[in-house]
Amino acid sequence: RSEQVLELQSQRTMAAVEHLREEARSAPSSKSPSRTGGDLGLVNRGGFHRLRGGAGRHRVSVLMPLRDAGRALRQTLPLLFDQKAAAELELIGADSASEDDTVDVLKEFDATVISIDPAEFDHGLTRNLLAEHARGDVLVFLNERSRPADDGWLAPLLESLDSDPRVAGASSRVLPHPDADPLTRRDVALEPSGSPARWVK
């Protein structure tokens, strides 16, 4: 019965997506809405980098919405590019008019940089915009406050995707930063994403 319900939901979702595509195709081309609702532009086109595990079957696109994240990126990006995973990785950042060195740090790590209007930032639409610029077959979403706990963070996520063709996505366990205050540590411990138990949905 569950499989029938899921199949029905899948058919309805695909029909709704096709309806939206038809509406988009029939809309006047003279006034095409921006994905973010504001000005955007490609500031820099980065490349792929081979990780420490060597060549593999996957090209991974790490997608990050950012604003004034230069300091955090200097901690996060070395950890990303030092992963022991058999894959190539590209980094794509959507910058919302940062006033620090966020864009410079992204360029330093050969990342793709997209400029967006901060007044029209939207969590979902901005991530959709990032995905549109991705060239990888695996998309990894991070925010500026999140970083890999160690160099073995990415490989298990890719393994989860490869181990079962029914798996559409995988997520990491969320841990507090080492210098987090007691209340933050408590909040993380109470979140399902902070549990050491593995969930399959």
Side-chain angles (χ1 to χ4, degrees):
R1 177 72 180 147
S2 298
E3 289 181 4
Q4 291 174 342
V5 170
L6 288 173
E7 178 63 25
L8 181 60
Q9 288 178 335
S10 175
Q11 291 173 2
R12 288 177 177 169
T13 300
M14 290 190 304
V17 168
E18 186 57 36
H19 176 71
L20 290 172
R21 285 180 178 160
E22 286 297 327
E23 285 185 345
R25 282 193 284 264
S26 62
S29 58
S30 60
K31 191 176 180 182
S32 177
S34 167
R35 290 283 180 171
T36 60
D39 296 332
L40 60 90
L42 183 63
V43 176
N44 189 65
R45 172 58 80 182
F48 279 91
H49 305 266
R50 184 171 292 185
L51 299 179
R52 287 173 57 199
R57 63 177 289 193
H58 291 298
R59 302 185 94 196
V60 178
S61 298
V62 176
L63 313 177
M64 301 181 73
L66 302 164
R67 183 169 186 179
D68 294 331
R71 183 177 177 186
L73 288 174
R74 290 198 180 279
Q75 293 180 308
T76 301
L77 300 191
L79 294 170
L80 280 177
F81 290 109
D82 196 40
Q83 289 297 302
K84 292 180 179 176
E88 291 183 317
L89 184 145
E90 71 167 348
L91 175 65
I92 306 176
D95 179 68
S96 302
S98 291
E99 297 181 358
D100 66 354
D101 62 346
T102 296
V103 172
D104 291 333
V105 176
L106 290 169
K107 289 180 178 178
E108 182 182 325
F109 282 86
D110 191 29
T112 294
V113 184
I114 306 162
S115 175
I116 65 172
D117 182 348
E120 300 296 335
F121 174 83
D122 177 272
H123 286 283
L125 293 177
T126 301
R127 285 169 172 81
N128 287 346
L129 176 68
L130 285 162
E132 288 177 3
H133 283 76
R135 293 171 291 173
D137 61 290
V138 173
L139 306 182
V140 176
F141 293 91
L142 283 182
N143 63 40
E144 61 194 53
R145 293 171 297 179
S146 300
R147 60 178 181 258
D150 54 37
D151 59 9
W153 160 76
L154 181 60
L157 295 175
L158 298 177
E159 184 181 344
S160 296
L161 296 175
D162 292 338
S163 64
D164 188 336
R166 297 171 298 174
V167 174
S171 63
S172 302
R173 180 186 179 196
V174 176
L175 301 172
H177 286 204
D179 58 350
D181 60 76
L183 288 178
T184 299
R185 289 181 174 277
R186 178 181 175 275
D187 288 345
V188 172
L190 293 174
E191 281 287 320
S193 58
S195 170
R198 184 170 182 261
W199 288 27
V200 178
K201 295 184 178 181

